[in-house]
Amino acid sequence: MKRFIVPTISLFLLFGLSISGLTAQSTINAHFFDQVDQFLKKHVKGERVDYANAKHDPQLAELITHIATASIEELDASTVQAFYINAYNLLVIQGVSTVYPISSVLDQGGFFDTKKHEIAGQKQTLNQLEKDLLLKQFEDSRYHFVLVCGAIGCPPITNVAYRPETLETQLAAQTHKALNNASFIIVDEQQKSVDFSQIFQWYVKDFGGSKAKALEFINSYRDTPIPTTYKIGFYAYDWTLNEIPSAATSRASAGAGNNASRYVVSAAIPKGSIETKLFNNLYTQTTTANGEGKRIARSTFFTSNLSVLYGINSRFNLGIDARYRRVRNADLPSSPLGVFGQGDLASSRQGLTTLGPKIRWAPIKSWSNFSIQSTLSFPLGKDFEGTDTRPYIDWNGTTWWTQFFNDISIGSNLSLFTEVDLLIEDIGNPNNGALYRFSTPATLILSYFPTPKSTVYALSSYSPYWTPNYDYFAQVGIGTKYQITSKFEIELLYSSFTNQFLQRNNGLASTFNIGIRVNR
């Protein structure tokens, strides 16, 4: 009898535990969407997130646990999609809340592509959740309007959960809302143009593979379709945090001021972005002969550097640099602007002198304002260093320029930019047969931001040359920048040079600079 009772009891216990496990799992799936709905109603107001209070809400930790331990193998497609969408939005909120206050999700290196989360028993990044678990599996481009990345540039977050029984309606409604938003799809009827969010540039394949196909998709949800003849562009993505300002954030950020919204030149540009810079430098120097202290000649160089950089991802950029130069030597009195005129071959020269690849890399995930940029410039001619009958215009050899950038915010309206370089010039010059010049320039720039769009800065730099003979020059300058639009910035700079040679011969040197930056 005992032999029969024991196995029977064991069988009932095993069956009971199995039923209990199934019931617990069913409870997680049945209540998850209600819990998400409750949480979002508390912490999402006016399409912004109250991160200051969300970080202290124990319900957030409970929801993240549900996301980690949920079993989805037996769920239908609509339930799986709703689960993943809510999971993405909650994991973004949790990721921001952990380190809040911050000004942008990009302040955390690898936020989307490196940091892994437990999602239904699997370790996944947010990018993997979006691209592999949702887009690749279910192929619905409307996900781009319900997955909210924690930035103002994203379509706005809702304060309700996405539910399997209403998912189709919610996807259509959010897509319609975003594509009829004048700030998300910017139509200029006078210019007959339209600017899309960079979402349509980064995920062009999800919208048909071309601008025309993307416009066709957008028009299918627009109340007023955009004419197909309009010129299509992309405006810069706004990565400012989609937060609700609070007393806590004000105290923590100490009045973030204009520092919070400025463009940080030392950071790598975001994935899919294109940064184009054109920096024009007019360098003019008056020199003396035989150390007599009498200025008798002027040497002027005009250099135009074109740089294009593309964001492979948020930490690695790839680009190309090109340099155009004009040079003119003339007796005094003469104007620096004479370099743009015609001159004889012995005193004037111009041409495209170098071309080469460049990279920018942000090696430390948590230190987004630190980056390393390296450029290799190849000469496009053989006699740039000049002869008895032609002036110097550039090096005959290759130049390798590596720059270490860092930017530090100081209070609400100041920042300190630092740069240390390794500059090797004239590599492989057949006339020299070896390395010609090696220097280690260092630069400090103190910037003040009187408004979110304007900058005033002071510059100082020191450049020692170690080979072939030790020498140096020092430079001080003052400049200003103004961001005309979110995509277009102009810069003006004046600087003055001194160095050992110039001081010894009482020469004078200065530069006049104008720069343009365009982001797409």
Side-chain angles (χ1 to χ4, degrees):
M1 185 67 174
K2 291 181 179 179
R3 292 179 182 177
F4 174 76
I5 291 174
V6 173
T8 302
I9 293 174
S10 300
L11 183 62
F12 272 105
L13 286 173
L14 181 62
F15 180 75
L17 289 172
S18 299
I19 293 297
S20 174
L22 290 172
T23 302
Q25 185 60 61
S26 176
T27 301
I28 290 173
N29 292 328
H31 296 290
F32 175 74
F33 302 107
D34 291 334
Q35 292 173 337
V36 173
D37 203 71
Q38 292 170 10
F39 176 82
L40 293 176
K41 279 181 168 60
K42 283 191 290 183
H43 300 295
V44 175
K45 299 177 179 66
E47 301 176 340
R48 297 289 187 97
V49 181
D50 184 2
Y51 294 104
N53 289 312
K55 71 182 295 183
H56 300 299
D57 190 339
Q59 190 177 27
L60 179 57
E62 294 173 9
L63 288 168
I64 298 304
T65 299
H66 289 332
I67 292 169
T69 59
S71 176
I72 62 173
E73 287 81 1
E74 303 300 324
L75 300 181
D76 61 83
S78 294
T79 305
V80 171
Q81 292 174 75
F83 170 78
Y84 281 148
I85 292 169
N86 289 304
Y88 184 97
N89 292 338
L90 287 170
L91 287 168
V92 169
I93 293 174
Q94 188 262 350
V96 171
S97 297
T98 301
V99 294
Y100 190 78
I102 57 173
S103 60
S104 170
V105 291
L106 297 185
D107 289 348
Q108 299 183 75
F111 185 85
F112 296 102
D113 55 8
T114 302
K115 184 180 179 182
K116 292 197 173 184
H117 308 268
E118 190 82 17
I119 304 170
Q122 296 183 350
K123 291 283 189 180
Q124 303 281 351
T125 65
L126 288 171
N127 276 352
Q128 288 172 325
L129 171 54
E130 178 184 13
K131 297 176 182 179
D132 297 337
L133 301 184
L134 274 169
L135 288 167
K136 188 175 181 180
Q137 186 175 354
F138 298 104
E139 298 181 343
D140 194 329
S141 54
R142 296 176 298 177
Y143 296 142
H144 294 296
F145 310 105
V146 298
L147 300 175
V148 183
C149 64
I152 289 176
C154 304
I157 190 169
T158 66
N159 67 343
V160 297
Y162 290 92
R163 297 176 177 272
E165 63 272 18
T166 57
L167 182 61
E168 177 59 33
T169 301
Q170 289 177 298
L171 285 170
Q174 283 301 109
T175 303
H176 177 272
K177 182 178 181 179
L179 300 184
N180 284 276
N181 187 325
S183 299
F184 191 73
I185 302 295
I186 304 174
V187 180
D188 189 331
E189 294 181 355
Q190 291 184 341
Q191 298 294 326
K192 298 187 182 304
S193 65
V194 57
D195 282 346
F196 297 163
S197 163
Q198 283 187 294
I199 289 173
F200 293 95
Q201 183 180 22
W202 299 332
Y203 298 95
V204 63
K205 291 182 180 178
D206 297 335
F207 298 101
S210 67
K211 291 180 180 179
K213 287 292 184 181
L215 179 59
E216 183 179 326
F217 173 87
I218 291 169
N219 278 339
S220 68
Y221 285 90
R222 294 267 303 181
D223 294 334
T224 304
I226 301 165
T228 56
T229 56
Y230 275 26
K231 182 181 178 181
I232 299 172
F234 301 95
Y235 61 86
Y237 205 77
D238 187 350
W239 284 102
T240 305
L241 192 67
N242 62 342
E243 64 179 330
I244 296 175
S246 66
T249 60
S250 298
R251 288 192 301 270
S253 60
N258 300 320
N259 223 334
S261 57
R262 66 188 175 90
Y263 182 84
V264 181
V265 297
S266 65
I269 65 173
K271 177 182 177 181
S273 297
I274 299 175
E275 178 186 80
T276 303
K277 288 183 178 180
L278 181 65
F279 196 80
N280 301 295
N281 170 281
L282 182 67
Y283 173 95
T284 186
Q285 174 181 321
T286 54
T287 60
T288 63
N290 303 320
E292 295 177 354
K294 183 180 179 182
R295 291 185 286 128
I296 62 172
R298 180 186 296 278
S299 295
T300 303
F301 288 85
F302 171 75
T303 304
S304 186
N305 283 296
L306 176 64
S307 172
V308 180
L309 204 61
Y310 176 76
I312 302 296
N313 57 48
S314 60
R315 293 176 55 204
F316 185 80
N317 306 156
L318 182 64
I320 190 168
D321 272 14
R323 182 160 68 210
Y324 168 82
R325 268 189 168 170
R326 299 178 71 103
V327 60
R328 184 170 187 260
N329 299 321
D331 293 337
L332 293 176
S334 60
S335 167
L337 299 180
V339 73
F340 299 109
Q342 296 294 324
D344 58 77
L345 294 177
S347 63
S348 300
R349 198 172 179 186
Q350 64 171 308
L352 186 65
T353 61
T354 67
L355 184 69
K358 73 185 302 179
I359 62 169
R360 184 182 293 177
W361 176 44
I364 304 173
K365 299 175 188 177
S366 59
W367 200 356
S368 60
N369 288 354
F370 172 74
S371 65
I372 301 171
Q373 181 169 285
S374 192
T375 308
L376 201 59
S377 298
F378 297 98
L380 299 179
K382 296 181 179 180
D383 61 345
F384 288 150
E385 291 183 17
T387 63
D388 293 339
T389 57
R390 302 197 73 186
Y392 167 92
I393 191 171
D394 215 326
W395 300 108
N396 286 340
T398 301
T399 297
W400 185 13
W401 188 13
T402 301
Q403 301 159 278
F404 298 83
F405 301 134
N406 190 34
D407 186 283
I408 304 168
S409 296
I410 305 173
S412 59
N413 293 312
L414 291 171
S415 79
L416 180 65
F417 172 87
T418 63
E419 177 183 341
V420 178
D421 302 348
L422 299 176
L423 180 59
I424 308 173
E425 298 170 298
D426 214 20
I427 303 170
N429 183 346
N431 296 330
N432 297 326
L435 173 68
Y436 185 67
R437 295 221 309 178
F438 172 66
S439 61
T440 53
T443 302
L444 293 177
I445 299 176
L446 181 65
S447 297
Y448 169 66
F449 311 102
T451 73
K453 291 187 175 183
S454 59
T455 306
V456 178
Y457 64 89
L459 172 151
S460 65
S461 66
Y462 175 73
S463 299
Y465 284 85
W466 306 100
T467 61
N469 299 305
Y470 177 78
D471 201 350
Y472 73 91
F473 71 77
Q475 177 188 15
V476 293
I478 185 167
T480 183
K481 298 179 184 179
Y482 188 76
Q483 196 170 332
I484 297 174
T485 70
S486 60
K487 298 185 290 185
F488 184 79
E489 180 182 73
I490 189 167
E491 175 179 2
L492 301 174
L493 167 66
Y494 169 79
S495 70
S496 178
F497 285 80
T498 62
N499 77 353
Q500 188 178 32
F501 175 80
L502 289 175
Q503 289 174 338
R504 187 168 60 243
N505 292 282
N506 300 314
L508 301 174
S510 56
T511 70
F512 304 86
N513 308 270
I514 181 169
I516 296 171
R517 174 179 61 81
V518 179
N519 283 74
R520 291 176 50 199

